[in-house]
């Protein structure tokens, strides 16, 4: 029988491979260096999935090179993403699922990134609560975290949780897989780095940071609260002395683990609100960014009373990034489409922005939708000749009239205060 699972050296079943492919297919994603798409694999699983299972179960599986793609960051720099082939993604999903089942129960309750039943919103809510309780916060930024993870230390961390030979074997092979750069050249890893974008990378990052940071801080000071989402960390302290002492200890801990703290982006922030006594010195930082939100002193309404709090809202970096995305789309030139078609094309994007950035202080999104309405006004002026020689506000008034006549046309028009 062709699918005979007897006499295999590695305990990997066909069912694991099939279930892994279902998850990879649901996540979609771009093709790797071989140009193979998810749809092609789905049409011919015997050609692609059976050989994968056969090789993984026999220990002969070798990963192909990872395709590197550069995406813009909020500070104008480029972030490298590694995109494995579809077949390699399925293989990584098999091992990632096994690893998650082993390590999940050992992770800290203060770790939120890439974990089941936990989200960025949970981390933000806990950060908001702790900022109201504690006067000081340390906003940590690790320089090039995914690019600088030491392979030897990472494998040591993985082996701390599992001694399964097939897991350690394939993790080691993925870490040493070559990377195809944007210009087509092949680069081999030099004992450090894991491609950000691989299926296995978030699990490996959590395992590494659990040993490097979570368990270390629990040993140093078990009553110090923090929130960690992958390599984004916020630590809460009672006073400035404790914060300064902790920051120095963290620098040394990261150096010991062959990582480096980004001095320019890491800072100690005073979480000011009405209930906290002002320090007797001038505070340098009173706000910080975490997971696309800015935490800073804001007027809030609590139990019917208006007072000064310290709460999150959509950050300026996030608004700028989305505004650039809208500009690149150039939908103000899509004059071949009617307005309802443009609304349909933008629907999922707008809904995604509202679902994520509208969780806390949704009113801050008005600035973002002003940018969108400006682009829509340009579309009106390009679409209709009668608006071209008139001032821009004439087209804007026409958009206002449309929002009153068709309040459900655009996704954000459903919400009060977001119409033009």
């Amino acid at each position: 029988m062709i699918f005979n699972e007897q006499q295999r050296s590695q305990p990997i079943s066909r069912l694991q491979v099939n279930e892994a492919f279902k998850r990879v297919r649901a996540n979609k994603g771009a093709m790797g260096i071989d140009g193979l798409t998810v749809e092609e694999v789905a049409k011919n699983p015997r050609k692609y999935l059976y050989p994968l299972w056969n090789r993984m179960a026999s220990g002969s599986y070798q990963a192909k090179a990872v395709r590197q793609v550069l995406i813009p960051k909020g500070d104008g720099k480029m972030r490298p993403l590694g995109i494995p082939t579809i077949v390699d993604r399925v293989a990584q999903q098999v091992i990632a699922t096994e690893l998650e089942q082993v390590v999940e129960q050992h992770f800290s309750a203060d770790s939120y990134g890439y974990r089941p039943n936990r989200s960025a919103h949970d981390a933000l809510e806990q950060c908001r609560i702790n900022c109201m309780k504690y006067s000081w916060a340390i906003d940590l930024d690790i320089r090039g975290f995914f690019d600088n993870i030491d392979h030897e230390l990472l494998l040591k961390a993985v082996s701390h949780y599992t001694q399964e030979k097939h897991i350690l074997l394939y993790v080691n092979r993925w870490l040493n897989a070559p990377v195809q750069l944007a210009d087509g050249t092949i680069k081999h890893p030099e004992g450090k780095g894991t491609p950000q974008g691989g299926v296995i990378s978030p699990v490996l990052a959590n395992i590494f940071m659990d040993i490097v940071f979570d368990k270390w801080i629990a040993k140093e000071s078990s009553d110090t609260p923090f929130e960690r989402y992958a390599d984004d960390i916020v630590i809460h302290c009672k006073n400035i002395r404790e914060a300064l002492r902790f920051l120095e200890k963290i620098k040394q801990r990261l150096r010991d683990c062959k990582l480096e703290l980004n001095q320019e982006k890491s800072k100690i922030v005073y979480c000011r609100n009405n209930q906290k006594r002002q320090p007797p010195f001038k505070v340098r930082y009173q706000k910080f960014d975490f997971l696309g939100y800015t935490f800073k002193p804001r007027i809030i309404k609590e139990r019917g009373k208006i007072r000064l709090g310290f709460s999150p809202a959509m950050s300026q970096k996030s608004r700028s990034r989305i505004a650039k995305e809208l500009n690149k789309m150039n939908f103000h030139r899509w004059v071949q489409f009617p307005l309802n078609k443009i609304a349909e094309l933008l629907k999922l994007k707008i809904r995604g922005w509202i679902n994520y950035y509208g969780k806390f202080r949704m009113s801050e999104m008005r600035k973002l939708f002003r940018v969108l309405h400006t682009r829509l006004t340009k579309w009106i002026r390009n679409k209709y000749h009668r608006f071209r020689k008139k001032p821009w506000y004439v087209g804007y008034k026409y958009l206002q009239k449309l929002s009153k006549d068709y309040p459900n046309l655009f996704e954000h028009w459903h919400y009060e205060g977001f119409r033009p």
Side-chain angles (χ1 to χ4, degrees):
M1 185 178 177
I2 194 168
F3 287 117
N4 182 19
E5 296 189 23
Q6 300 298 319
Q7 298 179 347
R8 300 288 179 180
S9 63
Q10 309 301 329
I12 296 173
S13 67
R14 270 191 308 127
L15 181 61
Q16 285 178 279
V17 174
N18 291 335
E19 290 299 318
F21 176 67
K22 287 178 184 177
R23 292 183 64 174
V24 170
R25 189 179 187 181
N27 292 333
K28 298 179 182 179
M31 63 186 74
I33 62 166
D34 58 358
L36 196 65
T37 64
V38 177
E39 290 74 20
E40 289 177 272
V41 176
K43 286 178 183 177
N44 201 342
R46 188 181 181 87
K47 180 179 178 181
Y48 299 109
L49 297 184
Y50 167 70
L52 172 65
W53 164 71
N54 201 20
R55 288 166 190 155
M56 289 193 76
S58 64
S60 62
Y61 162 75
Q62 296 284 348
K64 292 184 179 179
V66 176
R67 181 168 68 91
Q68 188 184 85
V69 176
L70 300 176
I71 61 170
K73 292 170 65 176
D75 55 4
K77 297 180 181 178
M78 303 299 285
R79 183 195 303 275
L81 277 186
I83 303 177
T85 65
I86 302 297
V87 173
D88 285 342
R89 242 175 282 173
V90 175
Q92 289 187 18
Q93 186 64 66
V94 170
I95 302 301
T97 302
E98 275 195 62
L99 260 179
E100 283 173 354
Q101 293 170 353
V102 173
V103 301
E104 177 60 31
Q105 59 186 322
H106 300 289
F107 283 159
S108 167
D110 296 313
S111 169
Y112 295 88
Y114 311 111
R115 295 182 61 190
N117 303 318
R118 285 171 173 258
S119 68
H121 287 155
D122 295 329
L124 289 162
E125 174 61 19
Q126 189 59 51
C127 187
R128 185 190 69 81
I129 293 169
N130 285 332
C131 283
M132 297 295 283
K133 290 181 182 178
Y134 295 83
S135 296
W136 298 88
I138 306 174
D139 178 25
L140 288 182
D141 185 271
I142 301 173
R143 191 186 300 277
F145 171 68
F146 283 92
D147 296 332
N148 293 309
I149 294 179
D150 184 76
H151 289 180
E152 186 179 345
L153 291 178
L154 178 54
L155 286 169
K156 190 176 179 181
V158 175
S159 62
H160 173 77
Y161 289 110
T162 179
Q163 292 297 318
E164 293 288 346
K165 291 182 180 179
H166 67 287
I167 293 179
L168 297 174
L169 171 71
Y170 291 130
V171 167
N172 185 43
R173 287 182 183 176
W174 284 317
L175 291 176
N176 290 293
V179 177
Q180 185 186 68
L181 303 180
D183 59 3
T185 57
I186 299 294
K187 178 186 175 184
H188 292 273
E190 298 173 352
K192 64 178 184 178
T194 173
Q196 190 174 355
V199 175
I200 195 82
S201 295
V203 185
L204 296 179
N206 266 341
I207 290 172
F208 190 71
M209 287 303 293
D210 183 64
I211 300 291
V212 169
F213 184 82
D214 299 358
K215 285 186 169 46
W216 170 80
I217 200 171
K219 187 178 178 181
E220 285 287 318
S221 178
S222 59
D223 59 345
T224 299
F226 68 92
E227 298 83 33
R228 182 178 67 78
Y229 196 96
D231 60 324
D232 291 330
I233 309 170
V234 178
I235 306 168
H236 303 274
C237 301
K238 295 175 182 177
N239 54 62
I240 186 66
R241 289 180 182 175
E242 183 185 0
L244 287 167
R245 187 170 63 251
F246 245 111
L247 190 58
E248 288 304 313
K249 286 184 177 180
I250 290 165
K251 286 179 187 177
Q252 185 57 49
R253 174 61 177 173
L254 291 178
R255 280 196 291 267
D256 293 342
C257 298
K258 300 183 181 181
L259 292 172
E260 183 184 356
L261 195 69
N262 191 330
Q263 302 277 13
E264 297 171 358
K265 294 184 178 179
S266 299
K267 54 184 180 284
I268 297 174
V269 181
Y270 177 60
C271 306
R272 174 173 171 254
N273 70 13
N274 277 350
Q275 298 175 330
K276 292 169 185 171
R277 187 182 299 173
Q278 292 294 314
F281 53 86
K282 187 176 179 181
V283 177
R284 185 174 181 185
Y285 299 108
Q286 291 195 46
K287 66 177 182 179
F288 65 89
D289 286 0
F290 183 51
L291 302 179
Y293 279 77
T294 295
F295 285 77
K296 71 177 185 179
R298 304 177 195 273
I299 301 298
I300 61 172
K301 189 174 182 180
E302 193 176 71
R303 297 172 187 171
K305 294 183 180 180
I306 295 175
R307 65 183 188 87
L308 183 67
F310 197 88
S311 59
M314 185 182 188
S315 69
Q316 177 59 47
K317 282 184 180 179
S318 299
R319 278 199 299 271
S320 300
R321 177 182 57 78
I322 295 174
K324 287 179 181 177
E325 187 179 340
L326 288 171
N327 288 342
K328 283 184 179 179
M329 290 177 72
N330 278 334
F331 63 84
H332 64 283
R333 299 187 183 277
W334 298 352
V335 292
Q336 70 274 25
F337 295 134
L339 193 60
N340 62 340
K341 179 66 175 177
I342 293 177
E344 184 183 338
L345 293 170
L346 294 175
K347 183 177 181 178
L348 291 179
K349 283 185 177 292
I350 295 172
R351 185 181 295 173
W353 298 332
I354 292 173
N355 287 344
Y356 186 76
Y357 295 108
K359 181 70 174 178
F360 301 95
R361 211 174 180 90
M362 193 174 183
S363 58
E364 287 291 315
M365 296 191 72
R366 288 195 187 109
K367 298 172 184 176
L368 170 64
F369 292 126
R370 283 189 202 126
V371 176
L372 177 58
H373 294 149
T374 301
R375 311 300 295 183
L376 289 173
T377 303
K378 287 186 177 182
W379 178 87
I380 289 170
R381 288 167 61 84
N382 290 335
K383 176 76 171 178
Y384 304 109
H385 289 277
R386 66 181 184 273
F387 292 107
R388 290 182 184 175
K389 293 184 180 180
K390 294 181 180 179
W392 75 271
Y393 63 80
V394 178
Y396 187 76
K397 284 185 176 180
Y398 179 71
L399 186 64
Q400 286 179 321
K401 184 177 181 301
L402 285 174
S403 69
K404 290 177 183 177
D405 295 340
Y406 307 97
N408 297 324
L409 182 60
F410 281 89
E411 189 71 17
H412 61 292
W413 287 0
H414 292 76
Y415 301 88
E416 192 66 34
F418 286 168
R419 294 176 195 165

